[in-house]
Amino acid sequence: MIDQIHAEITALKSQIQVLQQERSTLTINNVIPSEDDSPLAIVEAYRRHARENPQLAVELKGIEDAIAALEVQLQQKQAELGRWQIESKQLTQQQQLEEAKKVAEVHAQRINQLAAELATEIRLLKACADRLSPIYWQVYYKPFITGFKTISVPHVRSDGEVWTIVNRIV
């Protein structure tokens, strides 16, 4: 679609240029004011020429109107192109966002998997410590392992739009 709009813009610019050259040719060849003429004399020369050559004046007016209409179309096409470029950029950003979310999802799943494994290992260590602690106290007069009440592992969750990393106490 963007290529089509570019082609239409190029065609409009080309047609406007052709009409401007035609207008320039018709105007220059028929009224050539001298450099010494006053602005009022130049205006009068063009008016007199238009009165003497009404068909040429009508043709020039038609060319002017066509140029104006084509310039309006050109502005519309340029605005449309701008909108399409913004939309395509947003689409590209949306695609990049979706790809990044997929990568993040893989990492979040891996974190949750490792956290589950770590929680299992911590529970096994706690069970071992619970069995060893009474004997350890008797031999060394101190605890074998401390801090089980505050051990936590990360967990990634999502409500669909916002992702949150929370700490789950094991």
Side-chain angles (χ1 to χ4, degrees), residues 133 136-145:
S133 284
Y136 201 84
W137 268 104
Q138 289 175 357
V139 174
Y140 294 104
Y141 306 108
K142 55 185 165 187
F144 177 60
I145 298 176

Side-chain angles (χ1 to χ4, degrees), residues 111-123 148-157 164-170:
I111 287 170
N112 289 343
Q113 178 187 4
L114 290 172
E117 290 175 19
L118 183 59
T120 300
E121 292 297 323
I122 290 171
R123 285 186 195 103
F148 280 110
K149 291 179 183 176
T150 59
I151 294 196
S152 63
V153 293
H155 177 76
V156 182
R157 66 178 183 209
T164 306
I165 297 177
V166 296
N167 288 321
R168 288 192 171 167
I169 295 179
V170 178

Side-chain angles (χ1 to χ4, degrees), residues 1-2 5 79-89:
M1 186 64 170
I2 291 177
I5 295 172
E80 184 180 355
L81 177 63
R83 285 189 302 273
W84 272 101
Q85 288 173 331
I86 288 170
E87 286 179 20
S88 70
K89 184 177 181 181

Side-chain angles (χ1 to χ4, degrees), residues 23-62:
R23 176 188 60 195
S24 177
T25 302
L26 289 173
T27 304
I28 291 174
N29 288 342
N30 294 310
V31 179
I32 303 175
S34 69
E35 293 179 14
D36 297 334
D37 287 346
S38 69
L40 185 57
I42 293 171
V43 170
E44 285 302 316
Y46 277 99
R47 284 184 175 166
R48 183 177 54 253
H49 182 69
R51 281 190 300 272
E52 292 170 358
N53 299 301
Q55 184 177 356
L56 181 61
V58 169
E59 189 173 345
L60 286 171
K61 174 69 170 126

Side-chain angles (χ1 to χ4, degrees), residues 8-9 11-21 23 62-80:
E8 291 171 3
I9 287 173
L12 285 169
K13 285 180 178 180
S14 174
Q15 188 60 45
I16 289 171
Q17 186 177 15
V18 166
L19 288 171
Q20 287 172 336
Q21 288 174 347
R23 176 188 60 195
I63 290 171
E64 291 289 334
D65 291 347
I67 289 172
L70 291 175
E71 286 175 343
V72 167
Q73 279 188 353
L74 178 62
Q75 290 172 353
Q76 290 171 344
K77 290 296 178 183
Q78 288 172 332
E80 184 180 355

